[in-house]
Amino acid sequence: MKRTFLLLLFLVSATVSTLAQSRSISGRVTKGSSADALVGATVTVKGTSNSTTTNNEGRYIINVSGTNPVLVFSFVGQATLEIPVGNKTTVDAAIQDETSTLNDVVVVGYSSVRRRDLTGSVSSVGAKQLRDIPLSNAAEALTGKLAGVQVTTTEGAPGADVIIRIRGGGSITQDNSPIYIVDGVQVENALSVISPQDIASVDVLKDASTTAIYGARGANGVVLITTKSGRPGRTIVSYNGAFGFRKIARKMDVLNPYEFVVWQYEKAQLTNDTSFNRIYGSTWDTLQNYKNTPSINWQDEVFGRQAPYQNHNVSVSGGNANTTFNFSVTSNKEEGIQIESGFDRKLVNFKLDHKASDRFRMGFTARYLDQVIRGAGTTNSGTRTTNRLRHSIQYRPFDIPTAPSVEEFDETYYQRSAGITNPVLITEAEYRRAFQKGINVSGYFTYNLLKNLAFRSTTGFDNTYARQDQFFSKITGTARSFGNLPTVSIADQNSITINNSNTLQYTLNNVAKHHDIDVLVGEETYETRSKSLSVETRYLPADISPAKALANINLGSPPAGTSQPAPRSGETPPNRIFSVFGRLNYSYDKKFLVSIATRADRSSKFKYENGLLIFPSGSAAYRFSQEKFMQGLDWISDAKIRVGFGTAGNNRIGDLLYLQLYGVNGEYPLNHTILPGFAPSALANENLKWERTTSNNVGLDLSFFKNRASLTIDMYKNVGNDLLLSVAIPPTTGYSSQLQNVGSTSNKGIEFQLNATPVQNKTFSWNSNFNISLNKNRVENLGGLLEQTRNSGWQGSDGLDDYLVRVGEPIGLMYGFVTDGIYTIDDFTYNATTAAYTLKPGIANANANVGVLRPGVLKFKDQATVDTNGDGKPDAPDGQITAADRVIIGNANPKFTGGWNNQFTYRNFDMSVFVNFVYGGDIYNANKIEWTDGTFPNLNLLGTMRNRWRNINDQGVLVTDPVELAKLNPNGGSTQYSPLAAQRFFLRDDAIEDGSFLRINNVTLGYTLPTTLSKRVKISSLRVYATVNNLATITKYSGYDPEVTARRSDPLTPGVDFGAYPRSRTWVFGLNVSF
Amino acid sequence: MKKLFFKIIVGASALSIILSLNGCKKYLDIQPVSQYSVQQAFGDVANATTSVLGAYDELQGQNGYGLYLGLYFPFDTDEAIQSGGLDNERRGIARYQLLLSNGALRAPFLALYRGLEKANLCIEQIPLMDAYSTGSEADQRDLKRLYGEALTLRAQYLFDLVKIWGDVPAPFTPAYKQADLYLPTLNRDTIYDHILNDLAIAKDLVPWRTEVPRNERITKGAVKALRARIALFCGGYSLRNESKKMERRSDYLTYHKIARDECADIMARRDQHTLDPSFEELWKTYVSGLKPDPYGEVIFEVAAGGGNSNSDGRQGVNDGPSTNAQSRVGQGLGAIQIVPSYFYAFDSVDTRRDVSITNYQINADSRKQARVFTQLTTGKYRRDWRNPLLPGTGLALSYNCVLIRFSDILLMFAEAENEINNGPSSAAIAAMEEVRKRAYKGNESKIGVTTGSKTGFFDAIVNERYLEFGNEHLRKYDLVRWNLLGTLLAPTTGTLRTKLRALSLDPNVPQYMYWRNTPGSDEIEWFGSFYKPSPATAPLPAFNATSAPYGWRQLNWREDLSRTTNVLNVGATNVHYMDAIGYFFTPNKSELYPFDQATLDSYQGKLKQNPNY
């Protein structure tokens, strides 16, 4: 059927012929008002495919025919200019800088279109907007710049994970990140391996009408990155350099030495602990002396440094009309604000395009990456004992004479505080280096088989090698488990991706003066595979250095009866996709635009019989600006309405899950030596198939005031079906879960993108981009279950699940207890003889949550959990605070997100101010729960605990008498509860905070030396600038930063702030020079 | 030109279609690289051995006998309890407050079924291997042994499941071959009959221990011993789902006969299995010295090694004395505490007392310190006996977990004989006395006279097993199969509480004990006797940290039991230690554990909960 259609199409096209008398026109193209030649500008005869490019002097010659030929001059970043030829033989053109984005070229998958002709939903950002942001990760630089694209940098560490979600993400348990296509080739995590300076543009395909052409990989959106090419003309050498520093953006207020000892004193009194005097060498009478004790701010010691930042980028680009090249070398070197942490990256990028003949073009790109991230950071996926930020908050804020000096490891203190370690020492003790090396090579050629028919073949090869070195010195918890001796480990991973696509594109313009037709058919193969190897050695010599240990991993010597863990290697089978696809674009009078595409994919991850899926899509647009009814509205220069529909897939699941397989997952010792054992990896599900996302999109593109302003509005509904869920099956099978295609979710939203150039004249220009997006996520089906709890896991093994996934609600619901003020004296009966407080009947007992019940400790709301009238619904509380009293108390999803970028130029000055914002969306401040808890002795608390309920009077005596206690705590007591002592952590609503923020993300001020001056020193342009990143954040959030998500091993627990690396502010001074 | 163009397009389309329909099938047909297909996993003897080791795996580790099955589930009884106030983990289990959300309840349930599934795969695949029927003699012998081991492992996993949960779903084929994953529960008698038959097959397939290199793999003695044990449980009492009462099957003597015969077979092979002449040597030299005992007294054990939570266990860390992480012996948690009456169940010359019970802790300076009466700890697995010592906080000491010892064979034989013959035969009496004499080594004359009456002999067996198998995770299950757990743990009137109250008032149990560190040593010495009233005056010099570091210190002995402040938290309230033991035990409920909530949920209502939960 499809073939018949194609055939018809070509028959139609074959009837078209263009035969007329022709003559030759020549001229010169210059840039704006200057006399600078524009090399490589395109000159086209309007309505034909007849075109040429300007040579090194900006000159061109073109043959024209027909009656009233019009020449169209265009150049990237410049406005398009149309000049009727008339009778002239020489036509010179001076083309201005572009203010409208309508003529921007947008890559839409295997080909590109002008934004004007887009029928789908695509957000784009160009090099200009990425230019000055002093970030090594281009993904981070996209934050807030694109409507419908939420970029979350998970913490402040160098090389921190950046989570990108396009329109919310449809999958529940599988990877929701988009795919990245760099110059036509898929590259994993491309934004973190490409220098922002090498990027020419980023186009994000958001709806399935555009992503369906990527079939099985398109469900979460597609990020298309075009790297900078050379331009014909003089060879330009440019240098972009920046120097600066980072500084911690915010610090937590903690108790000072005096407040610290008062709290320890109070805790000792409450728990009958007699060790206080011995440890602090003081009784209550002399405690005042601690007011003079010099305070040590551990946050300053660990995160306080002014961390240097530098970035150098040298590029050489140029070429002639036939061959262009761009070669660049980038070096980023930055220290993290935390001692022992940093980032060092070298990137080499080479791009060559060659036009061998009018018919044959080819190109080649090669990239090399070499990167090291230093430092273990503060967070990991383990429990609180394995996270490290707490040491900087909770370690004793002063030196005491009886203990080892603060420079040394204090074993006694470690024991007495349930594991606190000097934060400087622990940071030095946990050594980590993450190395990454990558080679990425890709090439393409296009051959014009016929005038309108082009064949293009693109092939890419990516080889990434990652290595992680870790060392744990003898004072770390890891070493404590293994005879108090250091442990070292090395983990290697090597991944290879091969991607080949071949397309045939047939273009016919102006058929019968009305019809533009563009047909693309293609085929693609994609393959990836990876190998890993890891070794770990324990029981190294006690004082070995990390370098020596890593260089001599064989130095470990296990005590008798223990053994070293076996080295592990793994290799995945190749993950292959084979696809065929086709797309038809049709436009009538540039007024009605239609695009229809279909892709058929087969993936090796599914049984052959289940592996084929067809991804259809279609979109249409109607440009109504030229219609009669719009005539009175001259201020609207262009208007277009779009509708789109499509289906895309997600196959990011493990390999061969449809086969019953054994892995070397077991082990059993014989004679105390471990032997490997085979064990089934999972219960096979031979019916596994793709996750499928169906999307509907309606969009409106409006341009105003001669395209000086443009507004794009998109509304969408995406439905994810057949989502892979790990479904609980009877564990009596030997497996507790099986992956099944049973889930369903939906995302609905609306996005606005406004671009404007309010002022543009010779001396002053103002360019403004604003975007805002709203997304509403909803779980539609969980495979029969109505809800499922999840655990963020920081609390430890007896922590209650603190997240909830429920049908009809969004993903990311926080599930915990509701606090209800504090227990007052009146809540108890007091027995004067035993000095004991007994809870009155009817008052909910929160013993399990708060430890010993007494006035001043946190009280919880006892939810209705008992069914007293037998209607099957709970209607009465049970008097006990138990796990059943948890309710939904937070939602991690923001109501809307967006950004506003303003760029100004005034004569030779330029300035940009970028703010981004997130509104709504709760943050689960687990740090706060941990740092206000009074379970373990000798730990510091957050400053908010200064105003806690008082248990000791001014004489240092523990008060139990209710009358005295009431006097000590007038008006029912302070609002701040007495620290809990339940030995367990759990989510409660006072840890749920509004994560809304408005961030002045970037402010840049630049000055460009006038050309007249710079030319004298043989410099074609020179600009100096200063920029501040993360200048200020307006938020109610009490933690380090509201842009955080620390518990990422489970995608269903977003928005936890626990142990995350604090964010920094960056000041940078930079220089752009071109020779 | 047009034709050429047309041809290219048609050609390209045709090529794509052909590729997509046929050519890509080969391209997309991929084979596992790191993983093994089921056929590969049973491709040869070596691979089949690795598969069977995988089936052994679930016995060990945190989810198996290394923690939950060995150190959480067997308590509280009159032998020992979990220390501390109520929680929703080990103490919840020990106090019989089995909330369906208790993670320590679910994890071993899953592990046992994983083990069952792996054993089922081995049992299905090994006989299908070519080498099994047509291979070399050596291959056939090895594969028969592996098949026998797999049958035995399946029996062990199902036995544990039935012992703890009663009637359970019992798949005998691998899951990928099951049409319906929602298996209903199977009557325990049917399960027992099935696995007793399996073991009858297995015992002829596996060799005696000396016929093969010595390691922890299952040998003929283990199969027979396990068959005897299962038979006694099959013929014993259990809480029935239908009647919700403790009942035993009417033909129980059939099973006593199986037990008697299997035990007799083993007892006839003293070259393979017999008692170590010294009770202490067995535990201190062999188990704690990480070497096999030369007598084969340990017939079946769960192997440990590697220091991790999968292939190693926490014996000697969770149980045994509390030892400080900074001491030279490393960290011991001392989480299992001896019930004081257990101490006095031993005769003063019974060598088993000071092996089974530790009355000290070890401080940071590596010195021992005496422990009060209600905080004595278990002793068979203790960190300070490890040879070599392993300092630090490591949670695994590589102590194998002993499942069946030869003394159990002797006592099972005696018990079965007594039932079958309606009174003890001379062989039965000899078997029991053999156990007692070893225990009273050096004082064999003091073992007393063994009674000849059926009930008297039964009571003696009950007591002897109590003394012999302290902290060998047998006591609770023995009490259930004898239907004695209810009378023991009943609130206020239970025999245990009566006994403890009497003990707290017994004038011959000293109110206080006096102890000191032996001068120049880290060891402890006692003043006076555990079996006489406290001395009228405290011995001198009294301890003083600076002037008399080796002076005598007073220790609460009976005082510790009787003091009213000795309370444990049991949720909303604190109750006296004596009442807190097994606080929530409910007869005709607590003898079986419930299915956890997640398991019930995953069954979507098709699994019936155990009685009274």
Side-chain angles (χ1 to χ4, degrees), chain A residues 117-122 207 209-210 619 642-644 697 701 714:
Chain A
D117 299 330
L118 258 185
T119 54
S121 179
V122 183
D207 71 330
S209 77
T210 48
S619 56
R642 297 177 273 110
V643 291
N697 191 80
D701 296 330
D714 273 291

Side-chain angles (χ1 to χ4, degrees), chain A residues 36-69:
Chain A
D36 293 352
L38 262 184
V39 182
T42 308
V43 185
T44 314
V45 184
K46 194 180 178 182
T48 73
S49 59
N50 180 13
S51 71
T52 185
T53 47
T54 56
N55 68 8
N56 291 348
E57 281 103 42
R59 299 196 176 279
Y60 72 93
I61 302 174
I62 194 166
N63 287 328
V64 299
S65 58
T67 42
N68 287 311

Side-chain angles (χ1 to χ4, degrees), chain A residues 206 574 651:
Chain A
K206 299 186 292 188
N651 75 331

